[in-house]
Amino acid sequence: MLATRRLLPTTHHELGLLWQARPAMAGLLVAGLLAGPGGRGPAVRKVPGIGWVTADPVVARAVLQDHRSFTILGEGGVGDLWAQILGDWVLDLFDGPGHHDLRSRSRELFTEASSAELVRGAWGPTLDAVGDRLRSGEAVDVARLGRVLVGRMMISLLGLPAPDGRAAGGPGWPDDEGALTAFATGERLATVALGTAGSTRLSPAQVATARGLVAELTAGVPEGWRSAPPEQLLGRCRELGLGLEETTGLASLLMVAGTETSASAIARTTALLVDTGEQDRLLARLGSGSTPSGSLLPGEDDPIENAVREGLRMTSPASVVGRGVAADVEVGGARLRAGERIMLLVWSANAAVGPFRADRPYVRETRQLWFGAGRHLCLGAALARAEIGAVLRTLWDDGVPLRIVRRRAQRGVLIPSYAELLVARNPGAGSVRDA
Ligand code: HEM
């Protein structure tokens, strides 16, 4: 492990998370990192049982932007999974004219401003309570917190009613337990995709399980779509002209795309800041009065948003992105044939840039590859950044370093993550601002 630590830019805790999540995938990602840009060998290579893989950020982006030669729908793409679960009608919504229409209409669903507002509305009181607990010397499990927060966000976005029928936003709902249940349901749905590294074909039993979970998660959608006010997501979908079927499809997508990914990034970025000692740099920058700007554009100078971007780069929770080859094509020096598949090792490409640095400037080659690229670029990117930023602010806002009391990795999951990450204030450490 010592040699690994010297050889690779990330922490051994991060490598442990990848390993515990999916050992075979961890091996592929680490191999991709070692062979990546600057390493030896071709940019695109064939791996038995997997198909084509690349860890080159420029090639990965070229694949994601080449919508003629590569598809999200065929074998190897996530659209193939959804078509089996939701029905063939999603194919158009995923990649055809319907997708273009959906993306045009939903462009304004998650802007910087609306995302900040969503986070304040859904998380404000929970985060305030966490800040109080840390200040009083209590330890906080940031992994659980991430799951609670993301579950709360999903309930409020999708208008999920309480098991006893209470409407979202009503008294006492959502509560933490309900939020954890919603999160776990989304997680179970994502787990259906776990065995699809070799093929995206699902068994009838997997399809039946997934359909049941989708029905559970979207139970509040018809009512919300009919009657939610325009400032709520489902109401906004209606106002933007999305039909009930499209809204239900989008809701399922949000639930899967935006739950584990965000919760993973929240806990892992927290751990990275502590493990690498970069929290000291973050605190120094916060203490020196760098002004928060609320934007994540290249060159921006908000220390928290800089750390968020760096956490996303280093963790890349959607570690691999798959595509089917739609037409024969040459890419990265390899000739790919229609019907084959390619896996973009996004984690490897992003991690290859170097170790976690809270003040690392924008990197042109990777840009924001952790959110994909091209027409499927993450729809919830602004929301995800606002979410991670809000948690980091709560944890470090008043200038005191944290330590990790205890941690445990999630085993056998699609998105590498912590099951537990207990943090507390470092005893004896004064506030950087008081110093
Ligand atoms: C750290 C958190 C997140 C990461 C790393 C992430 C990453 C990604 C990536 C890599 C893709 C592209 C997949 C592909 O091309 O096959 C994607 C797509 C998507 N993401 Fe995210 N995501 C995150 C959070 C969210 C959140 C919070 C939401 C919404 C609530 C969301 C909604 C979506 C949707 C709807 C798509 C599909 C877009 C399309 O196909 O047009 N994501 N995400």
Side-chain angles (χ1 to χ4, degrees), residues 200-224:
T200 42
R201 283 286 105 193
L202 298 175
S203 70
Q206 284 175 310
V207 171
T209 307
R211 285 192 181 149
L213 295 169
V214 167
E216 206 177 304
L217 289 172
T218 54
V221 172
E223 178 54 30

Side-chain angles (χ1 to χ4, degrees), residues 146-170:
R147 294 193 291 270
V148 166
L149 291 172
V150 170
R152 281 179 174 273
M153 181 61 75
M154 287 305 160
I155 289 170
S156 82
L157 285 179
L158 304 186
L160 266 180
D164 63 7
R166 273 173 301 154

Side-chain angles (χ1 to χ4, degrees), residues 185-195 213 256 259-260 414-415:
T185 311
E187 208 172 25
R188 270 160 46 221
L189 184 53
T191 305
V192 172
L194 245 185
L213 295 169
V256 172
T259 47
E260 284 179 289
L414 188 64
I415 309 282

Side-chain angles (χ1 to χ4, degrees), residues 101-102 104-106 109 225 233-247:
D101 185 53
L102 178 72
S104 314
R105 286 177 199 275
S106 55
L109 282 183
W225 178 78
L233 182 102
L234 295 176
R236 220 169 330 142
C237 286
R238 182 192 60 235
E239 303 280 305
L240 291 169
L242 298 177
L244 178 57
E245 201 175 51
E246 273 177 309
T247 304

Side-chain angles (χ1 to χ4, degrees), residues 360-386:
R360 183 182 293 281
Y362 175 77
V363 179
R364 265 188 68 80
E365 289 70 33
T366 48
R367 284 186 229 173
Q368 47 172 348
L369 200 53
W370 44 89
F371 286 132
R375 68 160 79 124
H376 295 286
L377 179 73
C378 180
L379 180 67
L383 179 62
R385 288 194 307 254

Side-chain angles (χ1 to χ4, degrees), residues 72 99 103 254 257-258 261-262 312 321 323 370-372 376 378 380 384:
I72 201 169
H99 179 259
R103 289 297 300 229
L254 295 182
T261 43
S262 280
L312 282 165
V321 173
R323 285 293 184 270
W370 44 89
F371 286 132
H376 295 286
C378 180

